[in-house]
Amino acid sequence: MPEGHTIHRLAADYAERFQGQQVRATSPQGKFSDGAALVDHQVLETTEAHGKHLFLGFGMDRWIHIHLGLFGKLGFGTAPAPPPTDTVRLRLANTGFYADLRGPTTCALITDAEKHAIHDRLGPDPLRPEDDGGRAWQRISRSRTTIAALLLDQKIIAGVGNVYRAEVLFRHGIDPYRAGRDLTRTQWDAIWSDLVALMREGVRHNRIDTVRPEHTPEAMGRPPRVDDHGGEVYVYRRALQDCHICGTEIRTAGLAARNLFWCPGCQPTGGAA
DNA sequence: AGCTCATGGCGAG
DNA sequence: TCGCCCTGAGCTG
């Protein structure tokens, strides 16, 4: 269930259990046997996330690069580790814990130089404290592409996925089909700082919540949402339901092979500030 | 048992 | 823009 907040959380989860210690590394599935053999018995020195990319650093110019894609999952547990199932791409284990990686798009051993190349092709990440939304604005403000598509472009901004995209545009009353260059700098700055806050909360709670306090289920006397991603949201996967704020029916449409959700009432075409 | 769908991203055409 | 890769849950039979 991976948007950027998940990956940053996992970087911390790995560090908490394995950093500074030798690990045992295996690939029960077999697709990462060579890589696992090269880090087996090595010390996990550091972990890092940039957008949806996760890096496990073993020193000696060796990093494991993990990208979960749409289906990838990590499962942590305490020793003794049970026999791995046959889809486990990578198991790390020490005396106290194990971590099983399944279904990633990427799990590869890379060098420092290769890691740098990945950072270079990623935009600023709202969860990296030193990163700057102004860099993203330079691209957005010159683009005729829709803001909805730009927000999912990891070269422009790293870590935003389909849920945060839908929700942040809703929160700022912006029509998802508006061109990037038709946003104001003020609007973009507000979106960026909102993403910083929302995604930090996402890391803290390990789920995506975007509703403001006055629109929580408790505040509105409505039943809590039950959904895979687990959080309270305004528009994501709420097609045909009523907007919590204006009552308009939430709409959905395909955009660049992803499902887009928005409220036509709160996010009017050409309007809103 | 088989189908569909999902918070992602790549390369071919 | 489409097809493809990765996995598993939640349906439908």
Side-chain angles (χ1 to χ4, degrees):
Chain A
M1 292 120 206
E3 296 196 20
H5 69 300
T6 301
I7 311 310
H8 283 259
R9 171 78 174 226
L10 291 171
D13 289 343
Y14 266 116
E16 188 182 310
R17 291 163 177 80
F18 299 103
Q19 188 163 286
Q21 300 174 46
Q22 275 196 12
V23 298
R24 297 305 314 267
T26 55
S27 180
Q29 181 196 47
K31 289 189 182 177
F32 188 58
S33 298
D34 294 350
L38 284 166
V39 299
D40 194 24
H41 297 292
Q42 303 301 304
V43 172
L44 177 64
E45 293 184 352
T46 188
T47 72
E48 187 180 340
H50 184 166
K52 300 165 188 170
H53 296 255
L54 174 59
F55 303 96
L56 306 180
F58 290 87
M60 307 284 289
D61 203 23
R62 276 180 195 161
W63 297 85
I64 294 179
H65 172 217
I66 294 169
H67 193 297
L68 294 181
L70 197 48
F71 312 137
K73 281 187 175 58
L74 264 160
F76 292 92
T78 52
T85 57
D86 57 10
T87 57
V88 175
R89 181 79 55 90
L90 170 66
R91 169 174 281 184
L92 291 191
N94 61 17
T95 53
F97 304 98
Y98 69 95
D100 284 351
L101 170 67
R102 296 164 212 271
T105 289
T106 302
C107 175
L109 202 63
I110 62 170
T111 64
D112 292 337
E114 288 167 328
K115 177 169 177 285
H116 282 304
I118 292 165
H119 290 297
D120 287 346
R121 64 176 165 78
L122 289 173
D125 177 348
L127 289 172
R128 288 168 72 91
E130 67 280 16
D131 280 10
D132 175 10
R135 245 177 74 213
W137 175 246
Q138 290 176 22
R139 308 269 304 261
I140 290 166
S141 61
R142 284 189 264 115
S143 176
R144 280 183 286 189
T145 305
T146 62
I147 186 60
L150 293 168
L151 281 173
L152 284 192
D153 185 340
Q154 304 296 299
K155 297 186 296 297
I156 292 177
I157 176 170
V160 173
N162 210 14
V163 184
Y164 283 121
R165 159 176 87 167
E167 293 299 310
V168 81
L169 290 175
F170 175 87
R171 285 162 60 90
H172 295 265
I174 292 172
D175 169 14
Y177 292 98
R178 196 189 301 180
R181 67 180 185 183
D182 293 335
L183 267 67
T184 65
R185 176 71 197 248
T186 303
Q187 283 176 323
W188 173 250
D189 287 345
I191 288 172
W192 173 266
S193 57
D194 200 21
L195 284 169
V196 171
L198 284 176
M199 293 176 75
R200 280 183 189 163
E201 280 300 288
V203 175
R204 189 193 319 273
H205 298 299
N206 206 16
R207 48 179 252 169
I208 299 177
D209 289 290
T210 62
V211 295
R212 302 183 190 283
E214 63 269 32
H215 302 130
T216 60
E218 309 80 65
M220 297 188 76
R222 60 177 170 82
R225 178 194 180 94
V226 182
D227 201 347
D228 301 359
H229 81 275
E232 288 294 336
V233 294
Y234 290 105
V235 292
Y236 176 71
R237 277 210 231 173
R238 293 198 65 243
L240 305 183
Q241 299 176 57
D242 294 342
C243 174
H244 292 322
I245 294 182
C246 76
T248 302
E249 209 169 74
I250 303 301
R251 289 187 58 187
T252 186
L255 181 74
R258 310 298 301 283
N259 295 319
L260 176 62
F261 301 88
W262 78 102
C263 170
C266 295
Q267 300 166 265
T269 303

